[in-house]
Structures are given as structure tokens and as C-alpha cells.
Amino acid sequence: MSVIGVIEADFELSGIGTRSRLADDLCGEAVLRRTIQRALRAEQLKSLHLVVHASQGKPAKDLVDGLPVIVETHDQPPPAWRDAAVAGRKWALDGWRGGPGGACALDEGFHPAVAGALARREGAAGAACISPAAVVLDPLLLDRMVAHFLAAGERLRITFAQAPPGLVATVWDTEVLIELGAAGHTPGRLLNYQPDDPVHDLVVSDCGYKVPAEVTHTAGRFLADNRRSAETLAQLLSDAGGGANGLDVETVCRWQRERSLSQPRALPREVELELTTEDQLSGSSLRPRGNLAGQRGPMSLEMVEAVLAELAAYDDSLVVLGGFGEPLLHPAFDRVLQACRSGAGGAAVFGIAVRTNAIALNADVAARIVNAGVDVVSLLVDATTPETYRAVHGVDMFAQAVAGIEALVSARQQGGRGLPVLVPEMVKVAETMGDMETFFDDWMRRVGWVNIEPFNDGAGRREDRAVMRMAPPSRWACGRLWSRCLVLADGRMVRCDQDYTGAEPVGTLPQNSLGELWRGPRLEELRALHRSSRWNDAGMCASCQHWHRP
């Protein structure tokens, strides 16, 4: 039995939909050539194949000239599920899985039918599928995973590792690839819970190749497929003397952990914009609304556009339209969506999410959301019956919310791309516990994903109604201070969604730009306090129970 190496490449778009950087220079060598050179160091691969669309055969051969890799071409269109998988991956780029919709790193730029046909033609038992932008792929770990796969015979149909994207490959059984291609399922579906076919998580099976805990617990993206990651890799290679020799998976993860709490990037990856605090659920007991949040906004379109113009500097920027009100009630919601997708100077935001209670959704609004290319819609439903809905939200609008979701489901079907990813949400409190199992299974069957979240007491400012404590026993620095921020509808930037009244702002737009506030003294002071574990000196952070969120 043997395993071949398969690198599927695209010189126009990356596996997450950004501009392809495969031909770009990275510390003196093209990205794709670096990846191939790393893969060629693996000794367990029978052969290495670079797979491209027929229209890209010549540039592929030109770029890899002189390297012992076999260039293969195909004429197949992308899998039908690719757009939805990309939309989900946008929100979990630094992890191998965890994005809405269940998308994981296995789904990025992957064509199971093509890889399976190639492996079958070569008479191989399996294919090690390698990202074309994995410039620091660990060849020794790849060899170990291939050996693990082959030693199991027909018992294993997939071998993967819980490691940051770009450090490992996934080894697939040839016939599983063929089956996935025929069924039209995302590869990541094998790792997701299915209510009608529940199985143990493959992570705890032999399919999950065991790597050190330090690797599993490291967040980072080591794929040169966006500006932020390319900058990280350039620094990593520079620190290593310009080459990848000696950069095994543990060394890379150690380097990442040591620098993870250093100076933040020029801009946050994710910004949540509170368009308004107007809300039909102003008396909800689950989330701070109405009098608890206060009256703010609506946020001006000029402020929205200014934020978007700054975020356009990075091609992995994410925008959430949410906050502590109902974004669909903003008087210029359609223009906000248009700005997110067109941007200043034509630069679109990488990912767009909308958090809505669904009450204002109808066929017209749903169609506009779909047509705008929104990636994710979080649906704050929290109940399966009118009685539970009334108990937690204080109003009889359950039927309107469900009708709104149905309108969005219908519009998504008509759009034909599986977008947006729909995520019904429930806050877990005593009143919703009786609905929780039905809520989860029914919506999983209906839309494919669900989020059950713990009650948030706003850093101790609300009565704690959590069913159980979710925070780990030992505290560490809150990663969101280095990745995410929230701008309230009146322009105040706050550290996170714990500050729903804006009691401890870090600054105000437009007096300062987003970047100036993000790198400004107040947030830097907070980060320094977190680095040194001085939570009690960090204002409301001292009472926060949600510091462990990714």
C-alpha cells in the first residue's frame, strides 16, 4: 500500500477566497515552491502531484520548473458546497475547526473527487492532501501520519491532527474521497455531529493523530493566503534565518505562543458594529437590551464607511452587525450592507455577519441579505415554544421570529449557494433547559448548525443566571484584546461586549480612527495588565467570567 501527496492549487483565488499568493515572493522564494520543497522532504509519499485547473497548467509548470513534482490538470468545477464552507471558515482561520456551519481546515480549497480520482489512478491506498500555501509544513509529522494511516490497513479512512492550519496535511482513504465527491458532502461533515447519525467525535479515535497538547492548544494560521498570515510567516522565516529548516510543528507553535501577546497588529481582525439599540426585545432577560443597554444611535453611515475603509487594509477583516440592538431596524441597513460588500474604493470586507432576532425578517429583507453576500446570520431565537419565548423575552413574538427564519431559509435556497450560514442561538438558562435538546436537534436538521451559549452576566453587573460555570480553573490573558473590538452606535469603542453600557470606553470615533484606538494607550494598558495577570487592576475584566472565549 502507498500514499501519494496531492497539492491542489489555484493561481487566482486561495482556498478561503482571498487573492492567491502562490506566485508571490516570501523571503526570496515563491510561496508554492516553498510548500513543494517542504512536502518533498517527506519520505513516506510515493509521489507528489500538483493539481490545477486546465486553464492554469502552463503557469503552474513554469513556477515549479526544476522541482520533482508532477503537474496534473483537470476541468472540474468547484464543489457545490465550497462557498458555504469558505463562509464558515472565515470566522475560524486560526483553528483547524470551530467555524459556524461546522467548516474546518479540511474544507479549504479541496476537491475530493479530483484527489480521489488521482489516487485511484495511481493505485494508492490514500492521498495526503496538502495546502499549496503551507510553507512551513512539517514533513516529519507528515511521514508519521502516513505511517500511522498505512499501519491501520483498512481500519482508518482518514488521519488528521489537531494542529494550526498549515503545519500538517490530512491523509484520506482513496475510496472515501470518491464517496465524498459523489455524495457532494463537505469533508468536514465527517467531523460534525449529525442528529440522525450520531457517532463519537473522530478526535478521540485513531483517526485523530495525537500531537503534543502545546500544539493542539496553539492558535495561529501558517498558510500564506492572506496579508496577516503572510506577515506572520515572513517574521517566522526571518527569525529562523530566512529558511524553514529546523521549523518543526513544536518549534513553530512555541514561537507563536511566545509572540501571541506581543504588540497587536495595526488593526483588529474582527469588529462588531452596533448600528442601533432599537430592539423589539427590549425587555429580554437573556441579553442586555432596552434600559439595560441605553439609547444610542443610529450609527451614521459615514462612521460605518470610515471603519470599513480602514479594515480594507487587511484582506481577512471581519465585520459583525450586532451589538445590543436589532441591526435590521437601522434606517439605512441596506446601505450598510452595500458598503460592507463594495467598500471604499471597491474593497470589500472579507467576512460579514449579522446578529438578528429575526422578527423584522420577511421575504424582501431576506432576499437583500442573501444578495448582499452576507456570510453568517446569527438568529437569536432561544426557544422552541411560544411559552418559553415569552418567559425569557417578555413578548409574544415567537411566531414572527420563526416566520422570519423561514423566509431567510427560503431566500437562501433560491440563491443556490448555501449562503448565508444560518446559526440559531440559544442562551442556556434554567428557563430554556427544557427546550435545549429539541432546539439543537431540530435546527441542526433544518439549517445545519446551532449555537448554545452560556448566560453572560456582563462582568458581574447582572444577576448571574448561568446553569454552570464555564470558565477554566486557571485564568490566562483574554485573546480578544488582541483580535476583536466593539464599536457602539454612538461611536464609543469598548474593550468587548461585556461593556454593554459603554461605561469604560477606550476612545471614540471619529475623534480618533479605528487604528489609533486599537493601538492607543487605553487598550495597550489593558493588554499589559492581562500579560502580567493583573486582572484586579483592569476594571470590569476583574469580574469577567468569559475571558476564555476565542
Side-chain angles (χ1 to χ4, degrees):
M1 293 196 300
S2 62
V3 169
I4 63 170
V6 178
I7 299 176
E8 296 184 51
D10 188 327
F11 293 96
E12 296 179 0
L13 293 175
S14 73
I16 56 172
T18 54
R19 174 184 70 81
S20 175
R21 286 174 162 76
L22 297 182
D24 287 10
D25 179 271
L26 181 63
C27 296
E29 187 83 81
V31 166
L32 181 58
R33 289 184 68 89
R34 280 188 174 275
T35 300
I36 291 172
Q37 288 165 355
R38 292 292 283 180
L40 287 170
R41 294 180 60 188
E43 299 178 354
Q44 291 286 334
L45 299 180
K46 173 186 175 184
S47 54
L48 185 63
H49 303 257
L50 174 63
V51 180
V52 298
H53 192 269
S55 61
Q56 299 182 6
K58 186 179 186 307
K61 291 177 181 177
D62 290 343
L63 185 60
V64 302
D65 184 49
L67 295 176
V69 60
I70 304 167
V71 177
E72 312 273 4
T73 61
H74 69 91
D75 60 0
Q76 296 299 304
W81 45 259
R82 180 162 294 177
D83 287 345
V86 167
R89 282 300 295 158
K90 291 179 180 182
W91 306 89
L93 291 181
D94 285 351
W96 71 276
R97 74 171 174 180
C104 65
L106 280 62
D107 301 327
E108 295 180 14
F110 185 42
H111 205 311
V114 172
L118 177 58
R120 179 182 280 178
R121 189 199 74 189
E122 294 295 307
C129 294
I130 302 165
S131 168
V135 299
V136 290
L137 174 80
D138 187 335
L140 181 57
L141 178 57
L142 174 55
D143 274 341
R144 291 170 177 167
M145 292 176 65
V146 171
H148 177 77
F149 172 84
L150 292 175
E154 297 181 355
R155 185 166 54 85
L156 292 187
R157 311 194 77 193
I158 177 178
T159 298
F160 62 92
Q162 297 182 77
L167 300 182
V168 299
T170 302
V171 186
W172 292 90
D173 178 89
T174 297
E175 297 309 312
V176 169
L177 291 171
I178 299 293
E179 292 169 11
L180 281 172
H185 291 157
T186 65
R189 188 177 187 273
L190 296 179
L191 301 174
N192 294 334
Y193 170 76
Q194 304 296 329
D196 297 320
D197 186 24
V199 296
H200 289 296
D201 192 338
L202 293 182
V203 165
V204 299
S205 73
D206 288 342
C207 294
Y209 185 81
K210 304 302 183 290
V211 293
E214 292 80 3
V215 174
T216 300
H217 295 155
T218 298
R221 186 172 184 83
F222 301 98
L223 294 170
D225 56 7
N226 65 84
R227 175 184 170 182
R228 203 178 307 259
S229 294
E231 290 176 350
T232 297
L233 287 162
Q235 185 62 58
L236 171 62
L237 292 170
S238 176
D239 290 350
N245 292 336
L247 290 179
D248 58 33
V249 63
E250 293 179 70
T251 301
V252 172
C253 288
R254 188 184 312 115
W255 178 88
Q256 174 71 359
R257 291 195 304 275
E258 289 173 352
R259 70 184 295 275
S260 63
L261 299 183
S262 62
Q263 183 71 20
R265 298 299 178 98
L267 292 163
R269 169 173 285 169
E270 181 176 339
V271 176
E272 184 166 1
L273 298 178
E274 179 187 73
L275 298 184
T276 179
T277 55
E278 292 296 319
D279 188 24
Q280 304 95 326
L281 303 181
S282 59
S284 174
S285 63
L286 298 184
R287 302 175 184 86
R289 291 291 195 270
N291 292 333
L292 280 178
Q295 293 297 308
R296 297 183 291 267
M299 180 178 285
S300 70
L301 186 60
E302 291 75 19
M303 187 178 295
V304 173
E305 291 175 336
V307 170
L308 298 176
E310 285 194 73
L311 291 178
Y314 280 89
D315 55 353
D316 65 342
S317 295
L318 306 171
V319 170
V320 180
L321 304 178
F324 305 101
E326 173 51 52
L328 271 60
L329 297 182
H330 189 279
F333 179 72
D334 287 354
R335 295 178 65 188
V336 170
L337 284 183
Q338 183 180 2
C340 289
R341 270 297 169 237
S342 61
V349 172
F350 179 58
I352 306 171
V354 176
R355 287 176 59 82
T356 174
N357 59 37
I359 294 170
L361 276 172
N362 54 41
D364 183 53
V365 175
R368 295 201 294 271
I369 288 174
V370 171
N371 293 336
V374 171
D375 296 286
V376 177
V377 177
S378 294
L379 302 154
L380 313 181
V381 188
D382 303 298
T384 59
T385 66
E387 293 75 22
T388 301
Y389 193 90
R390 186 187 314 113
V392 295
H393 291 312
V395 293
D396 289 309
M397 293 187 175
F398 178 73
Q400 292 95 315
V402 172
I405 297 174
E406 295 294 344
L408 191 53
V409 169
S410 178
R412 184 174 72 166
Q413 291 173 339
Q414 294 174 24
R417 297 175 59 213
L419 293 177
V421 175
L422 304 182
V423 186
E425 294 193 8
M426 169 181 278
V427 175
K428 184 177 179 179
V429 293
E431 295 92 327
T432 61
M433 285 287 289
D435 287 16
M436 189 168 65
E437 184 174 346
T438 301
F439 183 90
F440 190 92
D441 285 355
D442 285 357
W443 283 116
M444 278 291 290
R445 294 186 182 99
R446 188 77 173 91
V447 301
W449 202 245
V450 176
N451 183 37
I452 306 292
E453 59 183 14
F455 182 83
N456 191 331
D457 66 353
R461 291 182 297 161
R462 304 172 64 200
E463 177 188 357
D464 190 0
R465 300 171 57 210
V467 175
M468 63 181 296
R469 182 188 173 101
M470 301 300 294
S474 299
R475 186 164 183 174
W476 58 80
C478 177
R480 291 195 168 198
L481 290 175
W482 281 263
S483 65
R484 191 182 196 277
C485 68
L486 168 62
V487 180
L488 301 179
D490 57 11
R492 284 177 292 171
M493 181 194 286
V494 293
R495 69 188 74 189
C496 70
D497 56 4
Q498 298 290 66
D499 192 2
Y500 53 84
T501 63
E504 299 180 11
V506 300
T508 304
L509 300 171
Q511 285 87 337
N512 297 100
S513 69
L514 177 71
E516 288 170 342
L517 295 178
W518 180 248
R519 301 184 303 274
R522 181 60 183 129
L523 267 181
E524 268 307 290
E525 177 188 359
L526 280 170
R527 294 180 185 118
L529 292 171
H530 276 247
R531 288 189 196 100
S532 57
S533 303
R534 295 164 57 196
W535 331 114
N536 290 336
D537 298 327
M540 64 178 60
C541 293
S543 303
C544 178
Q545 298 295 322
H546 296 266
W547 47 266
H548 57 286
R549 295 178 296 176

